[in-house]
Amino acid sequence: QQPVQSPQAVILREGEDAVINCSSSKALYSVHWYRQKHGEAPVFLMILLKGGEQKGHEKISASFNEKKQQSSLYLTASQLSYSGTYFCGTRVTGANNLFFGTGTRLTVIP
Amino acid sequence: EAQVTQNPRYLITVTGKKLTVTCSQNMNHEYMSWYRQDPGLGLRQIYYSMNVEVTDKGDVPEGYKVSRKEKRNFPLILESPSPNQTSLYFCASSSKPQMFSGNTIYFGEGSWLTVV
């Protein structure tokens, strides 16, 4: 039930944009997005619930397409502080567990 | 301050020597969970607990045990550790999943475990 994330890694220059995708083979109730710096705990970014909502957090936003069972995380005008590994976590409809993808390593360079 | 506390943070142990990684949360959360993180594999769930005395297997439960005797604590037990259990372990907690709301999962700082 592990969701699939793409790309696995991306390198950006400061100010560039990136999109990270997360897809599931099962119907989703919610999608969570986290960012993790090396050796640290994952830090919560946002939750999206079924209903196709979109959320924003400064220059980081996300969408959730319930029909396609996928979510995308959008990072605009990237900053050095955005570097890290981004994980999506998915909760399947009717289940209580949260399954995480394998992560997308984002590196922002000057 | 709301937090999830794990101990030890770093441990090197030998094959077969039983060990316990403790996890405690101060947010009165019903749901607690253990994950292991390995390069290229992301976070994989070991066990989770919906409430006191209620535990269930996650994706990779083999070689691990858990118990949930109190709401705040959820220790992870490795009865006979092996080198393939060398990993970074995270404990996490959240309030009980509700049908029509999302619940943030709070992670502990992680425990680096090496089994030689």
Side-chain angles (χ1 to χ4, degrees), chain A residues 1-2 29-30 32 34 36 38-44 47 49 85 87 91 94-103, chain B residues 31 35 37 40-45 48 50 57-59 88 90 97-105 107-109 112:
Chain A
Q1 298 192 48
Q2 190 173 34
Y29 171 70
S30 66
H32 301 222
Y34 288 80
Q36 184 182 30
H38 182 70
E40 298 179 6
V43 173
F44 169 75
I47 293 174
L49 303 179
T85 300
F87 290 98
R91 177 168 281 142
N96 292 315
N97 266 0
L98 192 68
F99 291 94
F100 287 92
T102 54
Chain B
Y31 179 91
Y35 294 88
Q37 185 173 29
L41 298 177
L43 289 152
R44 293 181 294 167
Q45 191 174 54
Y48 67 99
M50 295 301 296
K57 296 178 181 178
D59 274 345
L88 174 58
F90 286 103
Q98 302 295 325
M99 281 300 292
F100 302 106
S101 66
N103 293 295
T104 304
I105 288 189
F107 284 89
E109 293 294 308
W112 291 89

Side-chain angles (χ1 to χ4, degrees), chain A residues 35-74:
Chain A
R35 176 171 62 209
Q36 184 182 30
K37 303 281 186 179
H38 182 70
E40 298 179 6
V43 173
F44 169 75
L45 293 176
M46 64 189 82
I47 293 174
L48 299 102
L49 303 179
K50 70 175 183 178
E53 65 173 335
Q54 182 153 353
K55 274 194 173 179
H57 178 69
E58 294 183 345
K59 293 178 182 174
I60 300 175
S61 62
S63 63
F64 178 21
N65 188 319
E66 186 186 340
K67 265 189 177 178
K68 291 185 179 180
Q69 296 164 189
Q70 19 178 261
S71 175
S72 295
L73 185 72
Y74 307 94

Side-chain angles (χ1 to χ4, degrees), chain A residues 91 95-99, chain B residues 23-25 28-35 45-59 61 65-76 90-97 103-106:
Chain A
R91 177 168 281 142
N96 292 315
N97 266 0
L98 192 68
F99 291 94
Chain B
C23 174
S24 180
Q25 49 92 5
N28 202 35
H29 284 164
E30 291 88 354
Y31 179 91
M32 296 186 75
S33 180
W34 277 101
Y35 294 88
Q45 191 174 54
I46 303 170
Y47 270 94
Y48 67 99
S49 169
M50 295 301 296
N51 214 326
V52 176
E53 301 294 0
V54 181
T55 63
D56 211 343
K57 296 178 181 178
D59 274 345
K65 283 175 58 176
V66 293
S67 69
R68 187 90 183 272
K69 293 183 170 53
E70 307 166 277
K71 199 172 189 179
R72 62 182 290 127
N73 296 322
F74 190 45
L76 179 70
F90 286 103
C91 179
S93 75
S94 81
S95 53
K96 190 173 183 179
N103 293 295
T104 304
I105 288 189
Y106 296 85

